[in-house]
Amino acid sequence: MTAEIMPQRRAMMILSMKIASMLIIDVRRTDYEGGAIRGSLNIPAQGFYWNRGMLYELCYKADIEWVVFTCGSSAGRGPRCAGWFLDHVRNTAQDNDMQIMVLESGVKGWVKAGQQYTQFMDGFRPEYWEQLFAEEEKTKQTKADTDASGTGGDPSAGAAAATETK
């Protein structure tokens, strides 16, 4: 099953105004450094599948209306765990009321959205995020340069092609 996307703005509004009961499940494990969204529960993706029933029981007993999953970018682990949980909630627990969603752009997107969002993070370390985003940009630029060179990342292929044209 595929969970819908929870827009960052809506999640932030719910957190800041406390207008509904929302639990954010952060499924990061080794990349959990740098801070987490306030009040989120860390259940690493690697063990999530086996804990989804217990999470449902806790959410149900606490009258949680929204369960929102996130990971670094909400492109892999977050949506996968949200799907497992959604399947459990709808098909095993037969609960059609609890809303299961994935946070738009993940924790990275939350940080990139600026100070109005990072103020709702515990353990926020700006230097961690600056370094992470700089490394990602460098990797992206290296890949773009490699793609543009047509060597597929093999430096010897570029040298061989240059030798052949001489």
Side-chain angles (χ1 to χ4, degrees):
M1 298 185 84
T2 303
E4 293 182 34
I5 300 296
M6 165 69 82
Q8 284 178 340
R9 275 194 160 105
R10 186 185 319 162
M12 212 266 281
M13 183 177 65
I14 292 170
L15 276 178
S16 62
M17 299 175 74
K18 299 179 180 163
I19 57 175
S21 59
M22 178 177 70
L23 176 61
I24 297 176
I25 305 297
D26 190 331
V27 297
R28 295 177 296 157
R29 182 172 84 176
T30 56
D31 55 340
Y32 196 70
E33 300 171 26
I37 298 171
R38 185 160 299 135
S40 64
L41 182 61
N42 180 236
I43 305 175
Q46 292 78 355
F48 179 79
Y49 186 82
W50 308 111
N51 292 300
R52 68 195 192 288
M54 181 59 71
L55 176 62
Y56 172 74
E57 290 300 319
L58 292 171
C59 291
Y60 178 79
K61 290 176 180 173
D63 278 333
I64 300 293
E65 298 171 67
W66 302 85
V67 182
V68 180
F69 286 79
T70 191
C71 58
S73 61
S74 287
R77 296 168 290 180
R80 184 173 49 251
C81 291
W84 290 336
F85 191 64
L86 180 60
D87 179 62
H88 180 82
V89 169
R90 298 291 185 263
N91 298 324
T92 303
Q94 301 290 306
D95 183 335
N96 290 315
D97 295 325
M98 190 179 291
Q99 300 301 308
I100 317 306
M101 303 189 87
V102 176
L103 181 64
E104 173 189 28
S105 302
V107 178
K108 289 178 185 176
W110 190 269
V111 171
K112 286 179 179 179
Q115 198 269 332
Q116 73 182 62
Y117 288 83
T118 59
Q119 71 179 340
F120 288 97
M121 290 182 73
D122 292 326
F124 177 67
R125 293 189 5 239
E127 67 282 355
Y128 170 84
W129 295 102
E130 289 165 9
Q131 180 180 353
L132 178 74
F133 295 146
E135 289 171 7
E136 286 181 352
E137 189 58 38
K138 183 178 177 184
T139 300
K140 190 186 314 179
Q141 185 59 49
T142 301
K143 182 178 177 350
D145 291 346
T146 300
D147 291 347
S149 73
T151 64
D154 182 357
S156 63
T163 304
E164 288 176 17
T165 57
K166 287 185 180 178

